Amino acid sequence: MHIGQLARPAFKLQLLAASAAIAWQPATAQDAPPAGVPVAAEDEETIVITGTSRARAAFDTPLAVSTLNDEALARLGSSSQADILNSIPTIKADAGGGEVASNVFIRGLPSGGQFQFTPLMYDGLPVFSSFGLNSSAYDVYYRNDLGIERLEFVRGGVSNLFGPGSVAGLINYISRTGGDRHTGTVQLEVAERDRYRGDIAISGPLGGNFYYALSGFYRSDEGPIRTGLDTEGFQVRGNLQYRFDDGSGFVALYGQYIDDKTQFYLPVPLDGTTRARAPGNDGRDVFSVQNNFSFADLGFNTPDGPFESDIADGVSTQGGSVALVFERDFGGGWGVNLRARYADYDHKFGLWSDGDGLINVPETLQSFLTNRGLGSLANARFTFADDGSAMPADYLLFANRFTDRDRPAEDVTVEVNVTKELTTGSLEHTFTIGGFWGNATARDVNVTTTYLAEFNNRPRLVDLVITNPNTGAQTVISQGGLLNAGAGYVNNRHSVSRYAAYVADQIEADRFAFDIGFRIERFEGDILRERTSTFVTDTTTPDLAAALRDVIWGNGTFQQARVATSEWAVAVGALYRLTDDLNIYANASRGYFFPEIRAVTFNALGQPASFSAEIIKQAEVGIRYSSGRFSASLAGLYTRLTNRRQVLFVNDGQGGFREQVNIVATEAYGLEATLRARLIGGLYFEGNLTLQDHKYTAFDTAPANIGNELERQPNFLYNAGLYYDDGQLDAAIFTNYTGDNFTAANNAIVLEGFNVVNLDAGYRFGLGGERSLRFGINVFNLFDTDATTEGSPRQDANQTTGGAFFVGRPVLPRRITGRLTFNF
């Protein structure tokens, strides 16, 4: 039996229309920002549609706005979503895990990682309407491709009122849509360590006011780190859009289908002093302790039958989404926007851990025995599981775990709003009244397996038999590499319904803009969690240790609960134009986050803990300048979060895991600056800087942490780059700096700051008309920086320093990619 048999199979969307497109902006909002530089510094030409009732220039909005055009996305997205988001001010994103499950940290907010404060959207529709049904990130469901026109990240003002809502910011990727002529791009990509990828994006008219856009990719990759566990899959997205003759709006069908698997890397043992990669038994530096083992040999019996791991599939996603959007201006200033989306995914997340939950670092043969009370090496026989040969006495062992996590998910999102434009005196108003509804359900079935292996790249499994020196009796500790059968089991089903209503007014005058809005929302969640027991599942194999004979498994009884709460948000923003090139702005908001439903705990009577929203208050005041050659901004930031239910996935001390919940409060101050300057001809400089000071102001489980800085949140971030494009030759060299930060809230371990430098260059050949061919090269991590992005989150405050090893996740190594791009 595989883990997929434990959960209800999700309905497979086999006949999805391969389409996705712009969700609700008017046609005037589809002009792409100028090419050449990655982050539009909120100039007059950049039109923003995210978090606003109507499209408007970024320079003239009291929101904080960052945008990336398609050229920038191509440069930045060399390894993951994190590489893109890292370029945005106030965001720190960890990319060491590979293509998916990026850990995204927003200015001064306490996150366990991933997208806990920032909904990920495509074309104005959230990838998933509610976060926290399990611990999978939004980006496991979607991949970027050539069909993306730009990215908008907005925060402040009324941006937290629309759609899924978030005071911390909305990440919205906007797709290309069809125009009056057929255009397209085909790209072939080859990278070191056997990565091959093909992309296509085409769009154009179909006649009769119908337009289409279609994009997709297929790629095969042995990984930036070779493990024998390959990445392979594809995605198709597109849209079919009908535009009304009078230009008043459109009706569109959007969709996406994905069938993909990708590997995910966790922290590994590093040198305890330098935190550089440590040598394995063969003398080579260890980049990963994963391997494509014979997982049938690591299977075991359960009360429901034999279990065999699917961990070799990595993070796999199959399924997709369809959406319908209607937008129309009915005249007289009245307009309607309707968006509805249905998504259904079969999703598994194969999680390789960073230790066995007991010792967590490599051990000598004798220390392995001593640490587990197994006696002397003279009475132990260590052999390699594949051929039975004896393991050398001077080799190191590394006991580790992996967790099969089966997470089918289903989601429905509907949003409708009505707008009314009117003029009162010198003021132009855009009133919006609307509602948002989301209903999401996800399973979370986890099975943890502990194994024994050597300490090497792509290690071999190890068997261990202990002989009692007095009686001669033998005990099998590890068999086929299996050290603990069924070390942990979880079977949860969480569902959430959200009902929100909002009203907003965007006011424009000659030199003044003012936004005000209000949102109220109801959250209802249902919890179903299976209890566990220990079962004896092997009574015939002689001499088995208890950890091989027994398994922790579901016993068929369940904890059930229903939680519900309501909250409100209010936001205001104002902007004053001092000159045509200079303005000042401010925004303030009182908002909320609903706790992750997976964080709900039960007391001894089986009753759920109180469930109330987390309140966030923030303010920002800034100044912007933009001219033809130069633009810049400077802003001061304040954020306060209370009643935060912080969820950490940590070791339980017995070889399994538990979700630790801390009730915390935080406060942060910050300074953000951006600068773009055209130096000469097609040469630009682009950069941004974030300074922040943050601390815990409450911490229920560890009061000593009050006053400490937030874990994994640096005080200093910057991006800087030079970009050149003369129409034929383009080149860019840019760096992202992450400052010093702490591994855990106790502030005991500091990770040093580091730069990751990237290079991108290409040459275009004109082929007549709109056709061109570009030969390009991209180098991720140009100088092969070997910094540590995080410690061991599963050890949390229990991780220490001073030993021979330190468990941490390094930056991914340098990788060179060649690209051939044909535009037509």
Side-chain angles (χ1 to χ4, degrees):
M1 180 181 64
H2 291 256
I3 192 169
Q5 295 173 265
L6 301 175
R8 179 189 60 83
F11 173 69
K12 292 181 170 61
L13 301 176
Q14 300 296 341
L15 299 177
L16 280 178
S19 54
I22 194 75
W24 59 297
Q25 70 273 29
T28 56
Q30 297 179 28
D31 299 331
V37 292
V39 179
E42 297 153 352
D43 59 32
E44 294 91 335
E45 299 180 57
T46 304
I47 302 299
V48 179
I49 63 169
T50 306
T52 183
S53 296
R54 64 179 178 182
R56 52 185 174 175
F59 187 73
D60 294 325
T61 174
L63 311 176
V65 178
S66 297
T67 66
L68 298 172
N69 59 34
D70 57 347
E71 292 186 359
L73 294 173
R75 292 190 190 107
L76 294 166
S78 56
S79 66
S80 75
Q81 188 86 239
D83 297 317
I84 296 171
L85 299 178
N86 252 336
S87 67
I88 295 175
T90 74
I91 291 183
K92 176 216 172 194
D94 290 340
E99 290 190 26
V100 298
S102 298
N103 290 321
V104 180
F105 301 89
I106 305 295
R107 55 173 188 181
L109 293 176
S111 173
Q114 303 184 349
F115 296 79
Q116 293 182 346
F117 296 105
T118 49
L120 178 63
M121 303 193 299
Y122 284 80
D123 303 309
L125 292 160
V127 170
F128 215 72
S129 63
S130 296
F131 190 83
L133 280 72
N134 51 48
S135 61
S136 285
Y138 293 125
D139 61 357
V140 303
Y141 304 112
Y142 259 76
R143 309 282 187 270
N144 288 359
D145 58 29
L146 294 180
I148 301 295
E149 179 181 278
R150 70 185 187 273
L151 164 67
E152 293 181 356
F153 176 74
V154 301
R155 66 175 189 274
V158 297
S159 67
N160 64 309
L161 303 182
F162 305 126
S166 174
V167 174
L170 302 172
I171 301 168
N172 188 18
Y173 285 98
I174 299 167
S175 298
R176 296 181 183 181
T177 55
D180 291 331
R181 61 184 181 83
H182 295 283
T183 62
T185 302
V186 177
Q187 180 172 279
L188 300 177
E189 179 180 290
V190 179
E192 292 180 285
R193 293 177 285 279
D194 295 314
R195 175 180 171 88
Y196 306 95
R197 174 167 170 149
D199 275 83
I200 186 169
I202 55 175
S203 62
L206 290 174
N209 293 344
F210 283 95
Y211 298 83
Y212 77 95
L214 184 68
S215 62
F217 73 85
Y218 170 81
R219 61 97 175 75
S220 174
D221 190 357
E222 292 193 11
I225 300 172
R226 289 190 184 275
T227 63
L229 302 160
D230 297 342
T231 288
E232 184 176 15
F234 71 92
Q235 177 185 260
V236 179
R237 301 187 310 118
N239 76 76
L240 177 64
Q241 190 176 83
Y242 175 82
R243 298 171 188 166
F244 299 115
D245 284 327
D246 57 3
S248 61
F250 63 86
V251 179
L253 176 69
Y254 320 109
Q256 169 241 13
Y257 183 80
I258 185 171
D259 187 353
D260 189 48
K261 64 177 184 178
T262 181
Q263 295 310 310
F264 184 68
Y265 310 107
L266 256 72
V268 296
L270 307 172
D271 183 277
T273 302
T274 66
R275 294 181 188 166
R277 296 190 183 273
N281 293 324
D282 59 5
R284 298 178 179 178
D285 288 347
V286 174
F287 283 79
S288 168
V289 293
Q290 299 168 230
N291 196 8
N292 192 3
F293 298 127
S294 175
F295 293 102
D297 293 338
L298 288 171
F300 49 86
N301 293 327
T302 78
D304 295 327
F307 173 80
E308 182 180 329
S309 174
D310 294 319
I311 191 71
D313 291 338
V315 182
S316 63
T317 305
Q318 184 180 42
S321 65
V322 291
L324 180 67
V325 171
F326 171 77
E327 176 179 318
R328 189 157 194 184
D329 179 358
F330 287 98
W334 289 96
V336 172
N337 290 287
L338 168 67
R339 301 182 294 283
R341 177 178 179 272
Y342 172 74
D344 195 344
Y345 297 100
D346 285 332
H347 162 57
K348 296 181 181 180
F349 198 121
L351 182 75
W352 294 79
S353 293
D354 44 11
D356 64 349
L358 301 174
I359 306 302
N360 301 305
V361 294
E363 305 166 85
T364 65
L365 306 191
Q366 183 57 65
S367 63
F368 179 88
L369 298 171
T370 301
N371 289 333
R372 291 157 182 80
L374 296 175
S376 168
L377 183 58
N379 301 311
R381 185 171 76 250
F382 290 92
T383 58
F384 289 112
D386 56 354
D387 61 9
S389 62
M391 188 176 190
D394 60 348
Y395 269 31
L396 294 175
L397 295 161
F398 185 54
N400 201 6
R401 296 163 294 177
F402 54 76
T403 302
D404 288 82
R405 306 195 288 187
D406 193 8
R407 294 171 168 179
E410 192 172 2
D411 188 37
V412 179
T413 301
V414 178
E415 182 174 13
V416 60
N417 60 58
V418 177
T419 59
K420 170 63 176 174
E421 296 182 0
L422 59 87
T423 301
T424 58
S426 62
L427 302 181
E428 296 181 0
H429 297 263
T430 301
F431 292 102
T432 302
I433 184 169
F436 173 87
W437 175 68
N439 182 271
T441 300
R443 294 289 300 271
D444 192 6
V445 183
N446 300 343
V447 178
T448 299
T449 303
T450 306
Y451 66 92
L452 183 62
E454 62 175 340
F455 183 54
N456 257 351
N457 290 302
R458 300 180 65 172
R460 290 182 289 173
L461 294 169
V462 174
D463 288 342
L464 171 59
V465 177
I466 299 295
T467 301
N468 187 311
N470 297 319
T471 66
Q474 293 187 331
T475 303
V476 179
I477 303 298
S478 172
Q479 184 177 58
L482 181 64
L483 192 61
N484 190 342
Y489 175 91
V490 170
N491 180 14
N492 295 338
R493 182 185 184 275
H494 294 138
S495 61
V496 166
S497 291
R498 299 173 58 186
Y499 310 84
Y502 53 81
V503 60
D505 186 14
Q506 293 178 197
I507 306 169
E508 302 283 345
D510 181 37
R511 310 201 68 83
F512 178 77
F514 183 74
D515 291 355
I516 186 169
F518 177 82
R519 174 180 176 123
I520 188 168
E521 184 168 357
R522 177 70 173 173
F523 178 103
E524 298 176 353
D526 291 299
I527 300 168
L528 185 67
R529 298 178 186 169
E530 189 175 9
R531 298 181 178 90
T532 62
S533 300
T534 300
F535 296 87
V536 177
T537 60
D538 191 334
T539 59
T540 60
T541 305
D543 306 324
L544 288 181
L548 295 178
R549 183 196 63 208
D550 304 340
V551 298
I552 299 172
W553 208 254
N555 62 21
T557 65
F558 292 84
Q559 288 182 315
Q560 300 183 58
R562 184 174 180 83
V563 295
T565 191
S566 299
E567 262 304 337
W568 57 272
V570 63
V572 295
L575 178 141
Y576 184 75
R577 304 173 184 90
L578 299 171
T579 70
D580 289 343
D581 299 329
L582 181 69
N583 67 49
I584 56 175
Y585 73 95
N587 61 69
S589 58
R590 188 268 193 196
Y592 55 87
F593 299 107
F594 291 118
E596 298 178 38
I597 195 169
R598 69 188 179 103
V600 174
T601 56
F602 289 83
N603 62 23
L605 300 176
Q607 301 166 330
S610 61
F611 188 85
S612 55
E614 305 156 1
I615 306 303
I616 177 171
K617 299 177 181 179
Q618 65 174 20
E620 178 172 348
V621 58
I623 185 169
R624 298 188 183 111
Y625 174 80
S626 181
S627 67
R629 297 179 61 91
F630 176 83
S631 60
S633 67
L634 179 67
L637 316 169
Y638 172 76
T639 304
R640 184 168 181 258
L641 178 65
T642 57
N643 197 39
R644 170 66 178 168
R645 297 179 69 87
Q646 182 189 57
V647 187
L648 303 176
F649 192 56
V650 300
N651 295 328
D652 64 5
Q654 300 176 347
F657 300 103
R658 62 185 174 88
E659 291 190 342
Q660 176 177 305
V661 179
N662 306 314
I663 309 298
V664 304
T666 63
E667 189 173 41
Y669 299 86
L671 188 69
E672 174 197 303
T674 67
L675 173 64
R676 186 188 72 175
R678 183 160 66 90
L679 303 177
I680 185 173
L683 181 64
Y684 284 81
F685 169 82
E686 177 89 18
N688 60 66
L689 168 71
T690 302
L691 302 174
Q692 56 183 354
D693 181 38
H694 43 77
K695 65 180 180 180
Y696 283 104
T697 57
F699 207 114
D700 70 330
T701 59
N705 291 340
I706 297 174
N708 286 355
E709 293 189 3
L710 277 61
E711 64 270 37
R712 303 172 72 179
Q713 284 274 21
N715 299 115
F716 185 31
L717 295 165
Y718 72 74
N719 291 274
L722 288 172
Y723 305 87
Y724 177 79
D725 192 342
D726 64 8
Q728 287 186 308
L729 175 66
D730 65 90
I733 185 166
F734 47 96
T735 185
N736 168 260
Y737 177 77
T738 301
D740 295 355
N741 60 96
F742 293 104
T743 63
N746 62 354
N747 288 187
I749 301 174
V750 177
L751 299 179
E752 295 181 355
F754 60 91
N755 267 299
V756 174
V757 179
N758 297 329
L759 172 69
D760 189 271
Y763 191 85
R764 295 182 186 89
F765 295 89
L767 301 177
E770 298 295 324
R771 295 178 300 165
S772 67
L773 188 66
R774 180 183 184 269
F775 292 90
I777 185 172
N778 181 280
V779 185
F780 169 77
N781 196 2
L782 178 64
F783 300 118
D784 209 18
T785 297
D786 195 21
T788 306
T789 66
E790 68 176 20
S792 174
R794 276 140 296 283
Q795 295 185 59
D796 191 39
N798 294 321
Q799 188 169 18
T800 60
T801 59
F805 296 95
F806 177 83
V807 177
R809 182 156 62 181
V811 175
L812 292 175
R814 178 173 54 222
R815 200 174 201 190
I816 302 173
T817 301
R819 291 175 180 151
L820 179 63
T821 308
F822 176 55
N823 291 293
F824 57 93

